[in-house]
Amino acid sequence: MRQTAWGQFDRVTRALVAGAAGGLVGAGVKLLGELIFPPRSPGEPIPPAVAVSKLLTWLTGHPLLEERTTLAVQAFHWSFSLAVGALYGLSAEFWPRARIARGAGFGVVLLLATHESLLPLTGLSLPWSQIPLKEHASELFTHVLFGVSVELVRGAVRERVFGAPTAA
């Protein structure tokens, strides 16, 4: 591995930073994908808005204000993407199988862990059986886009910024 300005950082830090960068780019790519293939019908509750509203109600006794919904959803979306990207970067660094299908596997696992199980089980989205097939398809498409984007950026940052090539 060639020496770079980042050389003093340990492998864990480099993995987290590279994954976080991938998570941010992946968030943008997923949002663009959702413009093409919307993940829910108009008027359907947006899971991050529901989660933030429930949290605010629990903390303050007041729900999320309607005019703050877009900001709350975006803050949740970008923060969550950064965090799961960083965790993916760490996983991919020490467990190469996490990179299956160039990150598409990561996107599918994330979908299964969130939209297909955790969100319906916690009441943050409709029950799985009540979600139209086209919405499941949209979530699959955009999560695969997210996973592949995270992996591409993670690998590029690892190689170009840190000087550490990604093994095949």
Side-chain angles (χ1 to χ4, degrees), residues 28-159:
V29 170
K30 186 174 187 307
L31 282 175
L32 290 174
E34 289 175 350
L35 291 175
I36 297 165
F37 200 5
R40 64 195 55 80
S41 302
E44 191 176 314
I46 303 168
V50 175
V52 170
S53 189
K54 285 184 176 188
L55 178 63
L56 283 174
T57 301
W58 181 73
L59 290 172
T60 68
H62 303 287
L64 178 65
L65 298 173
E66 185 74 31
E67 62 268 15
R68 304 263 169 113
T69 299
T70 300
L71 176 63
V73 168
Q74 291 303 313
F76 187 96
H77 175 75
W78 291 91
S79 301
F80 182 78
S81 296
L82 183 141
V84 297
L87 291 174
Y88 171 76
L90 191 60
S91 299
E93 181 72 25
F94 294 99
W95 187 50
R97 286 183 177 216
R99 301 190 309 255
I100 190 165
R102 305 238 188 258
F106 164 60
V108 171
V109 167
L110 185 60
L111 169 68
L112 294 174
T114 56
H115 292 273
E116 300 297 327
S117 59
L118 187 63
L119 294 176
L121 288 172
T122 58
L124 296 176
S125 72
L126 293 172
W128 191 89
S129 61
Q130 292 179 19
I131 298 172
L133 184 59
K134 71 176 187 154
E135 293 179 23
H136 288 289
S138 170
E139 290 293 358
L140 176 61
F141 172 71
T142 58
H143 277 80
V144 167
L145 281 178
F146 176 77
V148 170
S149 300
V150 172
E151 173 54 25
L152 288 172
V153 172
R154 183 204 66 82
V157 168
R158 192 175 186 283
E159 186 173 323

